[in-house]
Amino acid sequence: NFAQSDHAAVDHVTIRSRDEKLRNNDGVNIDSSTNISVKDCDVISGDDALVIKSTAAGKPSSHISAENCQLSTRTNAIKLGTESIGGFSDITISHCQITNTEMAGIALYEVDGGDLTNVVISDVSMDNVQVAIAARLGARLKAFRDGDKPLPAPGHIHNVSIKNVSATN
């Protein structure tokens, strides 16, 4: 879990946490952080395998890259959101393989008022996934910390590119 972190790397890490008794056990969890690199990781998790969140108002998760990862999960393999008050920018995810995923291979959820912008997801292969790509712009508008107030309106999703994706099931 990287919360409000800057300049961190996750490289050649193996995570095994796909246990029916565990809940909210994300694999790699990045929250309101910048300049994070995730490379060559192998994640099998019960909750989101690679998730980028932004629970700090005014502090987007930005300048994040992930490449060459193997991902499997009971929920979403690659996810931006649901927690999204601070928004997301300059995210690049590429050359990942996703297997045996019970929700979405790629999930983009901007529902708390932040903006999701400048995101490139490419060269992803998926096998045995329920949904290949899910995107949601909504108005849940939730605050995550004591004293914070929800943003007053839905955010925006723009400048998103998803290319060279294959999926089965």
Side-chain angles (χ1 to χ4, degrees), residues 8-155:
V10 183
D11 194 350
H12 285 87
V13 172
T14 299
I15 297 171
R16 296 291 183 267
S17 63
R18 193 170 186 158
D19 185 317
E20 294 294 323
K21 297 176 200 131
L22 297 174
R23 296 288 176 236
N24 298 317
N25 57 329
D26 295 330
V28 177
N29 186 61
I30 301 166
D31 182 4
S32 300
S33 295
T34 58
N35 301 305
I36 308 293
S37 171
V38 180
K39 293 193 317 188
D40 300 308
C41 293
D42 185 353
V43 179
I44 300 175
S45 66
D47 205 350
D48 304 317
L50 170 62
V51 60
I52 304 170
K53 303 174 183 178
S54 60
T55 61
K59 184 158 179 51
S61 282
S62 65
H63 302 285
I64 296 169
S65 66
E67 61 183 316
N68 297 322
C69 293
Q70 312 290 321
L71 306 169
S72 179
T73 175
R74 283 196 328 250
T75 58
N76 301 289
I78 297 168
K79 182 178 178 186
L80 276 65
T82 304
E83 292 87 355
S84 57
I85 194 168
F88 310 95
S89 69
D90 302 305
I91 312 285
T92 304
I93 300 170
S94 65
H95 299 95
C96 293
Q97 290 76 45
I98 297 168
T99 58
N100 302 320
T101 293
E102 297 175 23
M103 291 177 72
I106 299 168
L108 306 175
Y109 298 153
E110 183 56 69
V111 295
D112 296 317
D115 290 335
L116 189 150
T117 185
N118 298 332
V119 174
V120 176
I121 300 172
S122 66
D123 303 303
V124 175
S125 64
M126 303 180 212
D127 184 40
N128 195 27
V129 296
Q130 292 300 309
V131 174
I133 301 168
R136 183 173 75 182
L137 176 64
R140 185 175 73 155
L141 305 177
K142 181 178 175 181
F144 298 93
R145 291 179 171 73
D146 290 341
D148 283 355
K149 294 185 179 169
L151 296 178

